[in-house]
Every structure is written in structure tokens, then in C-alpha cells.
Amino acid sequence: MPTNLSARFCTFVLSLFLIAFALPAFAGPFEDAVAKFANDDFSDTEEAIGVVASSGNKLAFPIISALQDGRLMADPDSKKVYVTGADGKSIDAATGQPVASVPDSASAVRLNNRLRRSVDAALGSLTLQSPDLGTRLQAAQSVFKSHEETALEAVDGALAKETNKSVKAALGEARAAILLFKPDTTEVEKLEAVATLKARGDQEALALLIGMGDQPESVTKAAASAIGSIQNSLAVWSTVQNAWYGLSLGSVLLLAAIGLAITFGVMGVINMAHGEMVMIGAYTTFVVQEVIRTRFPGLFDYSLFIAVPLAFLVAGAIGVLIERSIIRFLYGRPLETLLATWGLSLVLQQAVRTMFGPTNREVGNPSWMSGAFELGQITITYNRLWILCFTLAVFAILLAMLRYTALGLEMRAVTQNRRMAASMGIATSRVDALTFGLGSGIAGIAGVALSQIDNVSPNLGQSYIIDSFMVVVFGGVGNLWGTLVGAFTLGIANKFLEPIAGAVLGKIAILVLIILFIQKRPRGLFALKGRAVEA
């Protein structure tokens, strides 16, 4: 009996002895890997990244994240590594224990381009199984871009558990990118990877296929076929993207020109101050947002709904004042009208400089106008999309007003035959004032829209006045449908010429084409029927 007790006691002591030695061994690989960050050697750092990322330790993500942000500090003397936080607090990277301060001899762990890719892959693998859908998707995309071999195991594990269709597809693409460059990948796996990247079909997939290096003959042929297919697809999407940019530019031109089409068409007035009405609308938006920021910050997302009617009223009132005080004395004298409105534009610009200063003013985007979304291989920003919708809505409302209201009927009558309209009892001077005010008001709400995509400055209107006149003349003076077609035609043509000739030469080419076109059709695409506007 005593012998058995002695044996059991010896066994117990031996077990304690083994456990005492085993515990440090279990902690050793992680701590040893962390210590390698202090060696200031890129190969040691790369090895440490792989071990830390695959360790499953709760400190892995803070360490790799700090490494990416330059917050991982290493002391070469003590071989200690520290994670510093944005709040100034620091922890020991190996144990997670807080430290009072980081030694002065410690410095940030250095990275090169290869290590940065390894860090991206490690962070991606660490967040692949996050409960947040967006985090998992972003992690999968990060691994795809880095295509580091060390992330393959994490990708496979996440792929087996993933249920969301879009994230699963992203994980499959990340896995394909890794297998494409993994040395021991089988030929069948490489062919499947090529097929996956071909299905993805974007610029990043094309770059991976082009840079895949020497491969088996079957893989090379499949890659060549995929590269050709993706290039053709991207060429089509590039055309679609340019068309969208053209529509976007056309909507801006239409919004800036539609008010000018009314005043020019009905009154025959060359209003060089039209761009300043656009500027006034933009500054009205700035004032509205400043008031909301300081007094009612919760209403910021509704700022444009407040700014649109105010800009219309302010610019429209200024337009009526200009017509009553200057323009009505110059009817039938186009040169004097042009010079007077040009001088007025300078006065308005200087007045705005005096009130708001010469520098650009900040006008923010509401949350519903911020961001973008992908449609196939093109990117569509919400602010441009909303401006296009807003422009078409303004155009439709203006058409309805001209067709179904008394003012619209009088405007059309004055446009076709001013003297006959006057003889029928229409107060043409009142129609002129209201027409000029309407055109100026529409320019004001154009300024609200343009404030979301352009700098709000005293020179804002000058950027669009020439283009606006080109749109009106090309489409047909006074014809709204012509203005619509002219704006979108010039916008699309401009965006297709820019990649070929450049921005400046593209505009010159457009101007030359319009001059040649006007030689053949002096009254534009859609000439109004009836007599010309008379003095």
C-alpha cells in the first residue's frame, strides 16, 4: 500500500513538472513571433505576421492593425513590442498588459510594399468571420487584392461557413486569386481560378491574369482567352461609363441653360449675367446650410428642400429687378444689352466677393446625396444621379407651366408674335418682367444643384455661361425640347472627345462643330415656328 502511494505521489509530482514546462511552450510561439517584430528585419517581420495572424490569439487583430497604422512600437534593446492607441495608452503586445510608457528607444516597426500586402491579407483573414456582413465583404475584397498564400486557410474556413451570396462570391474570388499564384496549385485548380476571375471581369481581375507569370500551356491559353474577354467587356463598360458621364454633364448644362432659353427665346435678350443668377442660387444654399448648421443641425438633410424655393425666389426677384431697372430700356439694342449685362455680371461678382469673400465656400451633401453604387463595371454617384432626376423634374414642371397656365400661354404668344399679342390685350412688359424673373429663378435652383458638385465661389457662373449659350443656340432659340436635346448631345459628345483630344481641345472641337452646324441650320436643331421675336 505505501508503495502505491509513493508511486502515485511521484506521478503527481511528475505531472506538475511537465505542466509547468508545457505552459510556457504553449504560449511560446505567439510570444516568440511578437518578439521578432523587434528584430528590424523584413523577413522576420513577415514570418511574425503569419504566425500572429494564424494564432487565434485575441491580441492578433490589435497587433496587425497597429502594424498597418504605424502604431506597433518595438524596443531593440529589450526585444519588447508595444501597441500604442490613439488615446495615448499602450499595452505589451505579447501579454496584453497595460504599460505606463513606451521606452524612448522604441520605434515603429518598418514595412515595405510586400509586407503591406501581407498585413492587408492578415487583417482580411482575421475579419473574414466577423458577425458584420460589411466587414466580412471588405475583408474578402482585401484578401483578393493582396492574394497572400497565408490567408488561404482562413478563406477556406470562412467559405465553408458563409451563407450570404455576395460575400460567398467575394470569398470565392479571393480564393481564386490566391490559388493563381500559389506554387503548388494543381492545373485543375488554376483553370478554375482563371474561370472565376474571368467571371469577375473587372480591371483588378485583368491585372491578376496578366501578371500571373509562367503557367502550364492549358492555363496560359485559358488566361489569354479570359484576358481578351475581359478587355472586350471593359471596353463596352467604358463606353457606358462615358455615356453616363455625358448624361451627367448634359443634365448640368440643361439646368444652367434652361432659364437662358426662356429669356433668350421670348425676349431676345443676350443676358451675360445669367451665370451670376446661378451663383446667387449657390450662395443661397450656402447661407441656408450655415443657418441650419448653427441653429438647427438636425435639419441638415432637408437643407436642399429649403434652399430650392428660396433660391428660386431670391434669384427670380433679382431678375425682375434687373429687367425693370436695366433691360426694359434696351430692347431692340442687342449690343448695348450684352455690354450692360456683362457689366452687371462684374458688379454682382464683386458684391458677392464683398459679402462672402473671394474664397470657395463649403456646401455639404446631405446623407441621401452622398456615396455611390456599382452598376456592372461602372460607378454611379448619388449626387449626379439626383441632379439628373432633379433636372428632368424641373424640365417637366416648366413644360407643364408653359402649356397649362395663363402665364405660359402669354409667354408663348409673345414668343410667336409680340405685336399681335399686345394687340390682343396681353401686357407684354409684364410678361417680359415675369419671363426674365422665371428664367433667373430657374438659374437660381440650378445653382442649388451645382453647389453639390462644384466649388461655390464668385466665379461659379462664369464656368457655365458660354456652354449655356452653346446649348441654347445649338438646340434652337426658345425651344425647350431643343435645349434638352442640345444639352445631352453636347454633354455626351464632350465626354467622348475628352479621352481622345483632352479637355481643352475637346471643347474647342465642340465649338468648331457647332459653328459649322449653325452655318447649315442658323435657327438650331428645333427652330420655333412663327415670327422672330421683335423689339
Side-chain angles (χ1 to χ4, degrees):
M1 193 73 172
T3 305
N4 290 338
L5 287 173
S6 299
R8 289 178 182 175
F9 178 76
C10 291
T11 303
F12 176 71
V13 172
L14 182 61
S15 299
L16 289 177
F17 181 77
L18 291 174
I19 290 172
F21 276 93
L23 284 175
F26 290 139
F30 178 79
E31 293 179 352
D32 290 345
V34 171
K36 286 186 178 181
F37 286 118
N39 293 342
D40 196 26
D41 182 88
F42 287 146
S43 58
D44 283 349
T45 300
E46 183 175 18
E47 184 180 347
I49 291 170
V51 174
V52 169
S54 60
S55 66
N57 193 296
K58 64 180 182 179
L59 294 172
F61 185 82
I63 290 172
I64 302 300
S65 180
L67 179 61
Q68 184 184 52
D69 299 338
R71 295 182 291 104
L72 190 67
M73 311 296 290
D75 182 9
D77 298 332
S78 63
K79 298 297 181 182
K80 289 283 188 179
V81 181
Y82 306 92
V83 175
T84 59
D87 55 359
K89 296 179 180 179
S90 302
I91 62 170
D92 187 312
T95 64
Q97 296 299 315
V99 295
S101 62
V102 176
D104 293 337
S105 57
S107 59
V109 178
R110 296 184 305 134
L111 294 175
N112 58 18
N113 289 335
R114 177 172 174 78
L115 288 179
R116 288 187 184 92
R117 290 195 296 270
S118 298
V119 168
D120 290 341
L123 285 176
S125 64
L126 287 169
T127 53
L128 283 173
Q129 299 190 33
S130 168
D132 180 66
L133 176 65
T135 302
R136 297 200 306 275
L137 184 60
Q138 186 175 5
Q141 292 168 346
S142 177
V143 173
F144 175 84
K145 291 177 182 178
S146 63
H147 52 82
E148 286 293 326
E149 184 180 336
T150 54
L152 181 59
E153 184 178 349
V155 169
D156 286 336
L159 196 55
K161 298 177 182 178
E162 188 57 59
T163 56
N164 182 269
K165 185 177 179 181
S166 59
V167 177
K168 199 161 189 173
L171 286 169
E173 292 165 356
R175 186 176 188 276
I178 295 171
L179 291 177
L180 198 65
F181 292 89
K182 194 168 181 287
D184 57 347
T185 305
T186 65
E187 188 172 333
V188 174
E189 287 177 323
K190 285 187 180 291
L191 289 173
E192 290 175 352
V194 169
T196 302
L197 294 179
K198 179 181 178 180
R200 178 180 171 113
D202 64 355
Q203 195 67 46
E204 291 177 340
L206 179 63
L208 288 178
L209 289 169
I210 292 175
M212 62 190 295
D214 293 333
Q215 300 291 340
E217 185 178 356
S218 60
V219 177
T220 302
K221 288 182 178 179
S225 174
I227 289 170
S229 175
I230 292 175
Q231 287 175 335
N232 292 335
S233 175
L234 289 177
V236 173
W237 281 112
S238 177
T239 302
V240 174
Q241 183 79 74
N242 283 335
W244 162 249
Y245 287 151
L247 288 175
S248 177
L249 176 60
S251 67
V252 171
L253 293 179
L254 176 61
L255 205 54
I258 195 170
L260 189 63
I262 296 172
T263 55
F264 198 15
V266 175
M267 307 168 66
V269 172
I270 303 175
N271 180 18
M272 296 300 293
H274 181 78
E276 279 53 57
M277 300 299 106
V278 176
M279 174 195 68
I280 288 170
Y283 273 96
T284 302
T285 310
F286 165 71
V287 172
V288 168
Q289 288 197 352
E290 281 298 297
V291 172
I292 289 176
R293 281 193 183 100
T294 55
R295 299 186 182 181
F296 313 101
L299 295 178
F300 187 80
D301 276 351
Y302 304 96
S303 59
L304 296 188
F305 296 103
I306 301 171
V308 165
L310 280 178
F312 179 84
L313 292 174
V314 171
I318 293 175
V320 171
L321 180 62
I322 291 171
E323 197 280 335
R324 290 288 84 189
S325 60
I326 299 175
I327 303 297
R328 73 189 183 102
F329 300 108
L330 300 174
Y331 288 133
R333 297 154 65 185
L335 180 59
E336 286 86 340
T337 305
L338 187 150
L339 292 174
T341 54
W342 178 66
L344 179 62
S345 72
L346 299 179
V347 171
L348 291 173
Q349 287 180 47
Q350 190 57 47
V352 168
R353 285 192 182 92
T354 302
M355 294 174 63
F356 298 99
T359 58
N360 295 341
R361 290 295 180 171
E362 179 187 358
V363 174
N365 292 123
S367 60
W368 48 274
M369 285 189 74
S370 302
F373 64 94
E374 301 288 333
L375 183 64
Q377 299 297 329
I378 67 172
T379 301
I380 296 178
T381 56
Y382 284 113
N383 57 358
R384 293 277 183 175
L385 181 61
W386 279 113
I387 288 175
L388 176 60
C389 295
F390 178 69
T391 301
L392 295 177
V394 170
F395 183 81
I397 292 170
L398 187 58
L399 280 180
M401 189 276 294
L402 291 176
R403 185 176 181 85
Y404 298 111
T405 66
L407 176 60
L409 180 63
E410 291 175 350
M411 285 175 58
R412 286 187 289 139
V414 172
T415 300
Q416 292 181 19
N417 193 319
R418 178 179 293 271
R419 290 177 180 174
M420 183 63 73
S423 68
M424 296 296 291
I426 295 175
T428 55
S429 62
R430 180 181 66 87
V431 172
D432 288 337
L434 293 178
T435 300
F436 203 90
L438 176 64
S440 299
I442 293 174
I445 63 176
V448 177
L450 292 177
S451 70
Q452 300 300 296
I453 59 174
D454 207 341
N455 294 324
V456 177
S457 69
N459 299 320
L460 173 64
Q462 294 300 305
S463 305
Y464 296 96
I465 185 65
I466 302 300
D467 288 336
S468 297
F469 272 109
M470 284 199 300
V471 167
V472 172
V473 173
F474 177 64
V477 176
N479 190 303
L480 292 183
W481 284 108
T483 305
L484 174 73
V485 174
F488 285 121
T489 301
L490 293 182
I492 292 172
N494 207 343
K495 287 302 177 182
F496 275 97
L497 283 175
E498 274 185 9
I500 301 171
V504 176
L505 289 179
K507 282 188 176 294
I508 294 174
I510 292 291
L511 180 59
V512 171
L513 290 174
I514 289 178
I515 292 173
L516 295 175
F517 177 81
I518 295 302
Q519 297 296 315
K520 295 293 183 181
R521 292 181 65 92
R523 299 177 67 184
L525 282 173
F526 301 94
L528 284 177
K529 296 179 180 179
R531 299 182 184 179
V533 178
E534 299 154 357

